[in-house]
Amino acid sequence: MHDDRSITEHRLRRVLHERIRPAVHSSPLPLTVERWDAPGEPVPVAEGLAAPYEPCAPGDTWGPAWGTTWFKVTGTVPAAWAGRTVEAVLDLGFDRMMPGFQCEGLVHRADGTGIKALNPYNDWVRVADRAEGGERIEWYVEAAANPVLVDHRATYEGDLRTSGDRPLYRLARMDLTLFETEVWELVQDLDVLYELMTQLDTGDARRYEILRALGAALDAVDLSDVPGTAAAARAHLADVLAAPANASAHRISAVGHAHIDSAWLWPLRETVRKVARTVSNMVNLMDGHPDLVFAMSQAQQLDWIKTHRPELFERVKKKVADGQFVPVGGMWVESDTNMVGGEAMARQFLYGKKFFLDEFGIDTHNVWLPDSFGYTAAMPQLVRLSGSRWFLTQKICWSQVNDFPHHTFWWEGIDGSRVFTHFPPVDTYNSDLGGAQMAHAARNYREKGWGSRSLVPFGWGDGGGGPTREHLARARRQRDLEGSPRIEIERPDAFFEKARAEYEDAPVWAGELYLELHRGTYTSQAKTKQGNRRSESLLREAELWAATAAVRVPGYAYPYEDLERIWKTVLLHQFHDILPGSSIAWVHREARETYGRVAQELRDITLAAQRALAGEGTEELVFNCAPHARRGIPAGGAGRPAQPPEPVTVEERHGGGHVLANGLLVVEIDARGLIVSVHDLRARREAVAPGRAANLLQIHPDFPNMWDAWDVDEFYRNNVTDLDDLDGLDGLEVAESGPRSATVRVTRSFGRSRAVQQITLRAGAKTLDIVTDVDWHETEKFLKAAFPLDVKADRTASETQFGHVYRATHTNTSWEAAKFEICAHRWIHAEEPGWGVALLNDSTYGHDVTRDVRPDGGQTTTVRLSLLRAPRYPDPETDQGAHTLRFSLAPGAGIGDAVREGHALNLPERTVPGAGPVAPLLAVDSDAVVVEAVKLAEDRGGDVIVRLYESRGGRATATLTASFPITGAVESDLLERPLAGSAVGVPTPADTVPLTLRPFQIVTLRLRRP
């Protein structure tokens, strides 16, 4: 036989596109359209309905960037259409190739009830299944003119304040039509068979069976009467659609999904509307398709529905009860997991799962994080402590260098906890269930021979509206179809139960799930990151002192509602495109403003509690919120600090510069303003590598191949400018000199920017503190601060949530080489046996570590902080302006010192006048055991919640002593529910609780009060 495949395939593509698809909606009748352009920000629905509308027609332009236009659509169903299925086609001017990234609409009835959303793949509204004729239509479409910002070019349309006022869209079509059901079904038949056929091998007989059937179906279609011949065409496809799948066919659990970024190329206020539009579509689709299962994560998004669309929320609750609408994820938002602090990550689960329990009575079992930019090694323990059993991610398939070796596996965290994890081989979280994607999932699945199933999240995301009726049609046809994987729409838990049952002994992956991409997100938008870190610290302070005051001070009311509201605000801004700095300018401008308000509220809460505790008096009391004693003040207590030891001295350095000393460290700053020596007197060790300078600011070009705000590519290192030129040195002076501290100020200019650094040594301190004020006006540049250390370290330790992770300093394999930029929280530590150095920070997350062998045979380990970037997309003004960044060098530090000093840097002391010392609410007698949070219980019963963890990576025994009466101590999960199998000791009459912790173990205690 002659090979005529290409001819038939081309014929099918053209006929389907030009004749059959357009025939789905026949006999179009134009509807009457009027418009009202809302001034400014979106208005309530009632205001939109009551607005003064003016005539308009298809072809009219509408919508400046971020504007809202209301369209009033009216018409009458012709009497001749009685008994037929009638739909309206409402096309706002969609680009069919970009669902979720352009204009969108929500259709309302005249009473304000939302009907369904409009988007490029969902531009229809059902009028009647069987029309009676004469039905009157009156709808109101709230249309959002969101600009298209996905082309990766610098644009000022990412903020309402700088966007243009030209119309972005042209109204395309507003018609009443007949919906030709048989034609629509033919489209689905042809679509599924064509995609399946093209995935089959050219030597497979099944491919030719489908080809011949498709040719016969096309022959049966009269192109001048597609509706009248669709049934005859379908008859030729019945046999090939009825052929059952092979017994060994891969099994796919399809879960409806609509990945909606809580902010990204749109502001938070637009996400509120995106969520309403998508959820409206889902409950509407569920009404006619009881087989649809739709999973939705992010409690915040459902809370927006509850707040802004209560009538829609009631429909959601019914669908949840019916089992079709499935809350998943268990977190407040799909947060970043690299930079979120430990306690904040615990609260993501606390408030997320609590919302699902309170609103729907559902205790979610899975953690659903398809799109975060890598996953912390602390996550498995947090998942288990939240009461969850499964973890799902997708983003690891984006890694540039190494293919992740598993799709179903046990993920082991830093403490040894394991969670059953699935990484869908379909390699997308917005699947269309098309044949190409389903074939890829089956081919790509790495557990062949051990497992036989995978999960596919399907539906258009980012405001694209979720699953469509076309997706469901594909799923039905591929449920049991020869040549295709078997597809079954089902709940995520059903998949995980089956997957674990068949593959209980799945392989283990230990440690972080590092994404070999988007490494620039550790640094972009420094003020967003700084706002997050400071909010986390301020929340710790506010809760500690408020809990202490609630227990100690009669009449003091613990601010439950305020703290919960603030926590939820901070958690929202940890979303994986806000905290990572990868959203438009509008998002980050609002974030800066929000963090400012949050900081003021928390300072007010803290001060009120501290004043209540301090009492009336004039004695200056220093409150220590850190989990370790400092300057003689116990953790969680207040009093007068002990007198500082040996005073600080300042001398001129030979050859220029200054020498600072305090009896513990001797610091030399040369004539260039660079630190050339930090000598540990007790250990008789030098921290700075010979011939090198520390605190060296360095500039790199920063123009990645793609994803400007997201990425730094390794080639940025090929060019570097050291800011050590005397011509750029504007000042070097002793700014402060006294027995308690001494400061050298260094001022230098570079490019269009200026940096002022204050290098401070304090009495009794083994840390050298550096405050860097940068007025940053560079473009596509990367600012680093380098510390070349005289330490032979094959690995470094980086703080992560509730512990630390080790990463190699060498590049023996592609896995290590890919980690050329890494994330650390408050500290990074390099050590050789017996002596190490910690580099601490107050708001920096990005770091890199390299190693070199010197001519003298010694090794230099260079640790650099990533301070600022200047990408131009999606925010062309990223990081421009003034910044204050704090970091410290701690020579001779062990891991325990790094933990202590990292907390001290991030939790400053506060001074309040009062009557006398304030004793801590509780104490722990081991520095290895760190108290992370002290608060009152969420159930408002007055019990005290204490969360603590082993911080050094070893076993620890400790005793917790409460300074208030307790009747019991119950180990709890993150939701403060009793934890089965707890090994917490029974309190003694002295109100002490014995503890034994494994490495990095997190323990949450509920201390019951009488």
Side-chain angles (χ1 to χ4, degrees), residues 294-338:
F294 177 74
M296 186 169 179
S297 66
Q298 306 196 70
Q300 170 68 85
Q301 295 187 358
L302 285 162
D303 192 42
W304 281 332
I305 295 291
K306 179 183 177 183
T307 301
H308 299 282
R309 296 277 180 168
E311 79 291 346
L312 179 58
F313 190 70
E314 289 305 311
R315 295 181 68 190
V316 168
K317 291 176 74 171
K318 182 180 185 304
K319 297 300 183 183
V320 170
D322 292 344
Q324 286 188 270
F325 199 112
V326 184
V328 293
M331 298 174 70
W332 189 248
V333 296
E334 287 185 12
S335 76
D336 171 80
T337 78
N338 290 309

Side-chain angles (χ1 to χ4, degrees), residues 32-36 52-57 69-74:
T32 300
V33 186
E34 300 170 89
R35 68 186 285 176
W36 175 66
Y53 285 81
E54 297 179 354
C56 78
T69 296
W70 284 77
F71 294 102
K72 181 178 180 180
V73 181
T74 55

Side-chain angles (χ1 to χ4, degrees), residues 340-351 382 802 947 974:
V340 173
E343 186 57 29
M345 190 65 76
R347 301 304 176 93
Q348 288 283 356
F349 287 106
L350 167 62
Y351 290 119
L382 290 164
F802 300 104
R947 190 151 20 252
L974 298 183

